[in-house]
Structures are given as structure tokens and as C-alpha cells.
Amino acid sequence: HGAGTVRVTFKARDDKAGIGTVQYRIMDPQGMSHSGYLDHDNAYGPVFTGDPQEWKVYELKLPLARGSPRGVWRLESLDLHDKAGNRKHHQFIELLQFVPDATA
């Protein structure tokens, strides 16, 4: 088990107020979730700097500690908050519930 970095790159924009905080949830190879906030130029402060309607590339770099599980780490979800307080949730992993058929 070694150290490494999980990298997620995406484009986003907002039609009026601009992107503010971005919360992420990553699933490790053992199925455990890890969450945090993406640090970017407009993450803090009440007003967006720049053109909020322009597409911007965001990159999440999550350093993994030594001993982290090896394998595929997946982006579970992103929550994008704009400067007006609106939130958009994006789910990338489908969670299924399996219920056995008692009649079988």
C-alpha cells in the first residue's frame, strides 16, 4: 500500500452568481466514502471574481496517505454551490439495494 494522488478534472459554470463552494465525495476501493471541499479561486468570499457564465476547468487533487487502499478510487458525488446559496447535487455512483425474493 503506497501513497498516491486521486485527480478529478471537470468543467463548471453558473448562469448568474458564480460557482462558490464545491463539496466532493470519493469512494475508495474498499467502498468507504471520503469527503471534503475543493479549494479554488472563488471558493471563499461573498462575490464571484470573473465571468460566472464562462466555463472553467476545476481540478481536485486528493493526496492519499501511505497505507491507503490500492485500486480504483471513484468520484461518488459533487455538490456545487453558487454565490446566491443555490446547490446542485451530482451523483455518479448508483447505489442499489438487493432484497432476496422470499418466495424463491
Side-chain angles (χ1 to χ4, degrees):
H1 300 274
T5 304
V6 173
R7 293 178 192 271
V8 176
T9 304
F10 63 95
K11 287 183 179 181
R13 69 178 180 176
D14 186 62
D15 62 345
K16 295 180 182 132
I19 300 291
T21 57
V22 177
Q23 185 176 12
Y24 65 85
R25 185 171 294 278
I26 302 280
M27 183 179 290
D28 71 24
Q30 297 175 339
M32 299 296 292
S33 291
H34 308 268
S35 62
Y37 288 89
L38 173 65
D39 189 23
H40 64 92
D41 293 343
N42 279 296
Y44 309 104
V47 179
F48 186 87
T49 302
D51 181 357
Q53 295 181 349
E54 184 178 308
W55 286 103
K56 181 171 174 15
V57 175
Y58 295 89
E59 184 177 26
L60 166 63
K61 294 180 189 175
L62 180 62
L64 302 178
R66 186 175 180 167
S68 294
R70 289 182 186 238
V72 177
W73 290 63
R74 290 175 163 61
L75 179 61
E76 192 174 337
S77 65
L78 282 175
D79 285 341
L80 303 174
H81 302 255
D82 71 8
K83 295 294 185 176
N86 301 304
R87 183 192 103 171
K88 181 69 176 175
H89 177 76
H90 300 277
Q91 183 75 33
F92 300 105
I93 294 180
E94 294 294 328
L95 302 175
L96 301 176
Q97 182 178 11
F98 176 73
V99 178
D101 185 355
T103 62

